Amino acid sequence: AQTVTQSQPEMSVQEAETVTLSCTYDTSESDYYLFWYKQPPSRQMILVIRQEAYKQQNATENRFSVNFQKAAKSFSLKISDSQLGDAAMYFCAYSGTYKYIFGTGTRLKVLA
Amino acid sequence: NAGVTQTPKFRVLKTGQSMTLLCAQDMNHEYMYWYRQDPGMGLRLIHYSVGEGTTAKGEVPDGYNVSRLKKQNFLLGLESAAPSQTSVYFCASVAGGPRETQYFGPGTRLLVL
Protein backbone atom coordinates (compact mmCIF):
# COMPACT_ATOMS: atom_id res chain seq x y z
CA ALA A 1 0.00 0.00 0.00
CA GLN A 2 1.08 3.53 -0.67
CA THR A 3 1.96 5.86 2.17
CA VAL A 4 2.77 9.55 2.44
CA THR A 5 4.77 10.96 5.34
CA GLN A 6 5.15 14.58 6.39
CA SER A 7 7.53 14.57 9.34
CA GLN A 8 7.27 18.27 10.18
CA PRO A 9 4.00 19.03 12.01
CA GLU A 10 4.83 22.73 12.14
CA MET A 11 7.31 25.11 10.52
CA SER A 12 7.98 28.82 10.87
CA VAL A 13 9.52 31.23 8.39
CA GLN A 14 10.29 34.90 8.46
CA GLU A 15 8.48 37.01 5.90
CA ALA A 16 10.50 37.26 2.63
CA GLU A 17 12.62 34.25 3.57
CA THR A 18 12.61 30.77 2.03
CA VAL A 19 11.24 27.63 3.63
CA THR A 20 11.20 23.98 2.58
CA LEU A 21 8.50 21.52 3.59
CA SER A 22 9.38 17.83 3.47
CA CYS A 23 7.40 14.90 2.12
CA THR A 24 8.35 11.30 1.56
CA TYR A 25 6.23 8.56 0.06
CA ASP A 26 6.32 4.88 -0.52
CA THR A 27 4.95 3.08 -3.56
CA SER A 28 5.65 0.19 -5.87
CA GLU A 29 3.95 1.90 -8.81
CA SER A 30 6.07 3.44 -11.52
CA ASP A 31 3.50 5.90 -12.85
CA TYR A 32 1.99 8.33 -10.40
CA TYR A 33 1.48 11.98 -9.60
CA LEU A 34 2.39 14.04 -6.57
CA PHE A 35 0.69 17.16 -5.31
CA TRP A 36 1.00 19.87 -2.73
CA TYR A 37 -2.24 21.39 -1.47
CA LYS A 38 -2.64 24.45 0.72
CA GLN A 39 -5.40 24.77 3.28
CA PRO A 40 -5.78 28.28 4.74
CA PRO A 41 -8.00 29.00 7.75
CA SER A 42 -10.99 29.15 5.41
CA ARG A 43 -10.58 25.35 5.07
CA GLN A 44 -10.70 25.47 1.29
CA MET A 45 -8.20 23.06 -0.27
CA ILE A 46 -6.15 24.81 -2.94
CA LEU A 47 -3.74 23.13 -5.35
CA VAL A 48 -0.26 24.60 -5.08
CA ILE A 49 1.74 22.44 -7.45
CA ARG A 50 1.68 19.10 -9.25
CA GLN A 51 4.47 16.79 -10.39
CA GLU A 52 4.28 13.88 -12.81
CA ALA A 53 6.55 11.04 -11.74
CA TYR A 54 7.79 10.39 -15.27
CA LYS A 55 9.07 13.95 -15.60
CA GLN A 56 12.57 14.52 -14.29
CA GLN A 57 12.21 18.28 -14.35
CA ASN A 58 11.00 19.76 -11.09
CA ALA A 59 7.69 21.61 -11.27
CA THR A 60 7.61 25.35 -10.57
CA GLU A 61 4.71 27.74 -9.99
CA ASN A 62 5.84 31.30 -9.33
CA ARG A 63 7.32 31.32 -5.80
CA PHE A 64 6.62 27.61 -5.29
CA SER A 65 8.90 24.87 -6.52
CA VAL A 66 9.48 21.23 -5.73
CA ASN A 67 12.53 19.06 -5.32
CA PHE A 68 11.43 15.68 -6.67
CA GLN A 69 13.85 12.84 -5.97
CA LYS A 70 12.21 9.76 -7.46
CA ALA A 71 14.79 7.24 -6.33
CA ALA A 72 14.66 8.55 -2.78
CA LYS A 73 10.85 8.90 -2.96
CA SER A 74 11.08 12.44 -1.73
CA PHE A 75 8.94 15.40 -2.78
CA SER A 76 9.71 18.61 -0.91
CA LEU A 77 8.09 22.01 -1.44
CA LYS A 78 10.14 25.19 -1.45
CA ILE A 79 8.42 28.51 -0.89
CA SER A 80 10.52 31.52 -1.80
CA ASP A 81 9.95 35.09 -0.66
CA SER A 82 7.41 33.93 1.90
CA GLN A 83 4.36 36.12 2.37
CA LEU A 84 1.88 36.42 5.23
CA GLY A 85 -0.74 34.87 2.96
CA ASP A 86 1.30 31.69 2.72
CA ALA A 87 0.43 30.84 6.31
CA ALA A 88 -1.66 27.66 6.11
CA MET A 89 -1.66 23.89 6.43
CA TYR A 90 0.18 22.22 3.58
CA PHE A 91 -0.63 18.69 2.52
CA CYS A 92 1.45 16.45 0.34
CA ALA A 93 -0.59 13.95 -1.71
CA TYR A 94 0.11 10.92 -3.87
CA SER A 95 -2.11 9.76 -6.69
CA GLY A 96 -1.91 6.36 -8.33
CA THR A 97 -4.54 4.20 -9.97
CA TYR A 98 -7.81 5.37 -8.44
CA LYS A 99 -7.10 7.00 -5.14
CA TYR A 100 -5.26 9.83 -3.53
CA ILE A 101 -3.24 9.39 -0.35
CA PHE A 102 -2.62 12.45 1.81
CA GLY A 103 0.04 13.15 4.37
CA THR A 104 -0.84 14.47 7.82
CA GLY A 105 0.09 18.02 6.93
CA THR A 106 2.56 20.71 7.96
CA ARG A 107 1.34 23.92 9.53
CA LEU A 108 3.34 26.86 8.19
CA LYS A 109 3.56 30.04 10.22
CA VAL A 110 4.87 33.19 8.59
CA LEU A 111 6.41 35.72 10.97
CA ALA A 112 6.25 39.40 10.16
CA ASN B 1 -19.98 27.59 -12.76
CA ALA B 2 -20.19 26.80 -9.03
CA GLY B 3 -17.53 24.05 -9.05
CA VAL B 4 -18.02 21.65 -6.14
CA THR B 5 -20.64 22.48 -3.54
CA GLN B 6 -21.49 20.72 -0.28
CA THR B 7 -24.68 20.78 1.71
CA PRO B 8 -24.98 21.46 4.62
CA LYS B 9 -22.01 23.57 5.78
CA PHE B 10 -22.49 22.68 9.44
CA ARG B 11 -24.63 20.23 11.32
CA VAL B 12 -25.07 19.00 14.88
CA LEU B 13 -26.41 15.50 15.38
CA LYS B 14 -27.26 13.41 18.39
CA THR B 15 -25.81 9.93 18.69
CA GLY B 16 -27.92 7.49 16.72
CA GLN B 17 -29.42 10.02 14.35
CA SER B 18 -29.00 9.71 10.61
CA MET B 19 -28.18 12.25 7.96
CA THR B 20 -27.04 12.64 4.37
CA LEU B 21 -24.35 14.95 3.11
CA LEU B 22 -24.73 16.11 -0.47
CA CYS B 23 -21.90 16.84 -2.85
CA ALA B 24 -22.67 18.37 -6.23
CA GLN B 25 -20.35 19.28 -9.09
CA ASP B 26 -21.19 21.05 -12.32
CA MET B 27 -17.96 20.27 -14.19
CA ASN B 28 -19.09 16.92 -15.65
CA HIS B 29 -16.36 15.14 -13.71
CA GLU B 30 -16.27 11.34 -13.66
CA TYR B 31 -14.51 10.71 -10.36
CA MET B 32 -15.79 11.84 -6.99
CA TYR B 33 -14.43 11.33 -3.49
CA TRP B 34 -15.48 11.73 0.12
CA TYR B 35 -12.83 12.45 2.76
CA ARG B 36 -12.86 13.17 6.44
CA GLN B 37 -10.34 15.48 8.06
CA ASP B 38 -9.40 15.10 11.70
CA PRO B 39 -6.71 17.01 13.61
CA GLY B 40 -3.28 15.53 13.05
CA MET B 41 -4.52 12.93 10.59
CA GLY B 42 -4.77 14.74 7.29
CA LEU B 43 -7.47 13.71 4.86
CA ARG B 44 -8.62 10.12 4.89
CA LEU B 45 -10.63 8.61 2.06
CA ILE B 46 -14.07 7.27 3.05
CA HIS B 47 -15.59 6.23 -0.28
CA TYR B 48 -15.10 7.11 -3.88
CA SER B 49 -16.79 6.73 -7.25
CA VAL B 50 -15.25 6.34 -10.69
CA GLY B 51 -18.49 7.02 -12.52
CA GLU B 52 -22.26 7.22 -12.30
CA GLY B 53 -23.70 4.17 -10.57
CA THR B 54 -20.37 2.99 -9.17
CA THR B 55 -18.92 3.30 -5.67
CA ALA B 56 -15.97 1.81 -3.83
CA LYS B 57 -14.62 1.75 -0.30
CA GLY B 58 -11.72 3.88 0.76
CA GLU B 59 -9.53 3.79 3.83
CA VAL B 60 -12.21 4.42 6.51
CA PRO B 61 -15.60 3.29 5.14
CA ASP B 62 -17.16 1.84 8.31
CA GLY B 63 -20.32 3.62 9.44
CA TYR B 64 -20.84 5.37 6.10
CA ASN B 65 -22.70 4.59 2.90
CA VAL B 66 -22.65 6.38 -0.43
CA SER B 67 -24.62 6.61 -3.63
CA ARG B 68 -23.92 8.06 -7.07
CA LEU B 69 -27.23 7.86 -8.88
CA LYS B 70 -26.50 10.94 -10.95
CA LYS B 71 -23.10 11.86 -12.34
CA GLN B 72 -23.14 15.28 -10.75
CA ASN B 73 -24.09 14.16 -7.24
CA PHE B 74 -22.31 12.04 -4.65
CA LEU B 75 -24.17 11.43 -1.40
CA LEU B 76 -22.61 10.37 1.88
CA GLY B 77 -24.91 8.83 4.46
CA LEU B 78 -24.53 8.22 8.16
CA GLU B 79 -27.15 5.70 9.25
CA SER B 80 -26.51 5.91 12.99
CA ALA B 81 -24.16 8.72 13.91
CA ALA B 82 -21.49 8.20 16.56
CA PRO B 83 -19.29 10.76 18.34
CA SER B 84 -16.28 9.27 16.51
CA GLN B 85 -17.79 10.63 13.29
CA THR B 86 -17.36 14.20 14.47
CA SER B 87 -15.15 15.62 11.76
CA VAL B 88 -14.90 17.91 8.78
CA TYR B 89 -16.02 16.20 5.60
CA PHE B 90 -14.70 17.14 2.20
CA CYS B 91 -15.94 16.16 -1.19
CA ALA B 92 -13.73 16.34 -4.28
CA SER B 93 -14.10 15.65 -7.97
CA VAL B 94 -11.70 14.93 -10.80
CA ALA B 95 -12.30 15.15 -14.51
CA GLY B 96 -10.81 12.10 -16.17
CA GLY B 97 -8.64 10.23 -13.75
CA PRO B 98 -6.91 10.20 -10.37
CA ARG B 99 -3.67 11.61 -11.74
CA GLU B 100 -5.40 14.89 -12.37
CA THR B 101 -6.07 17.76 -9.99
CA GLN B 102 -8.85 17.32 -7.48
CA TYR B 103 -11.36 20.11 -7.06
CA PHE B 104 -12.57 20.32 -3.48
CA GLY B 105 -15.80 21.51 -1.96
CA PRO B 106 -15.75 23.93 0.99
CA GLY B 107 -16.28 21.18 3.58
CA THR B 108 -19.04 20.21 6.00
CA ARG B 109 -18.39 20.42 9.70
CA LEU B 110 -20.26 17.70 11.58
CA LEU B 111 -20.57 17.52 15.34
CA VAL B 112 -22.06 14.38 16.88
CA LEU B 113 -23.04 14.71 20.52
Side-chain angles (χ1 to χ4, degrees), chain A residues 40-85:
Chain A
S42 67
R43 282 204 317 243
Q44 181 68 49
M45 295 287 285
I46 303 165
L47 177 69
V48 175
I49 202 164
R50 184 179 84 153
Q51 173 80 42
E52 296 95 330
Y54 64 87
K55 286 189 177 180
Q56 292 186 335
Q57 186 174 5
N58 290 325
T60 299
E61 288 288 342
N62 301 314
R63 297 183 294 108
F64 298 87
S65 61
V66 298
N67 183 4
F68 174 47
Q69 301 288 332
K70 190 171 183 178
K73 296 180 181 173
S74 171
F75 183 61
S76 60
L77 175 69
K78 186 172 83 170
I79 307 174
S80 304
D81 186 25
S82 296
Q83 301 175 359
L84 294 176

Side-chain angles (χ1 to χ4, degrees), chain A residues 29 31-33 35 37 39 42-47 50 89 91 93 95-105, chain B residues 9 31 33 35 37 40-43 45 48 50 57 88 90 94 97-102 104-109:
Chain A
E29 297 178 315
D31 187 18
Y32 52 88
Y33 281 60
F35 306 81
Y37 283 89
Q39 187 181 43
S42 67
R43 282 204 317 243
Q44 181 68 49
M45 295 287 285
I46 303 165
L47 177 69
R50 184 179 84 153
M89 282 290 289
F91 292 97
S95 165
T97 307
Y98 292 116
K99 300 180 287 188
Y100 298 78
I101 309 295
F102 284 81
T104 52
Chain B
K9 290 184 170 53
Y31 291 68
Y33 301 83
Y35 297 92
Q37 183 179 20
M41 302 192 75
L43 276 74
L45 182 63
Y48 65 101
V50 301
K57 294 181 180 180
V88 179
F90 285 95
V94 177
R99 282 87 186 270
E100 298 182 25
T101 301
Q102 291 185 97
F104 282 86
T108 293
R109 184 165 163 252

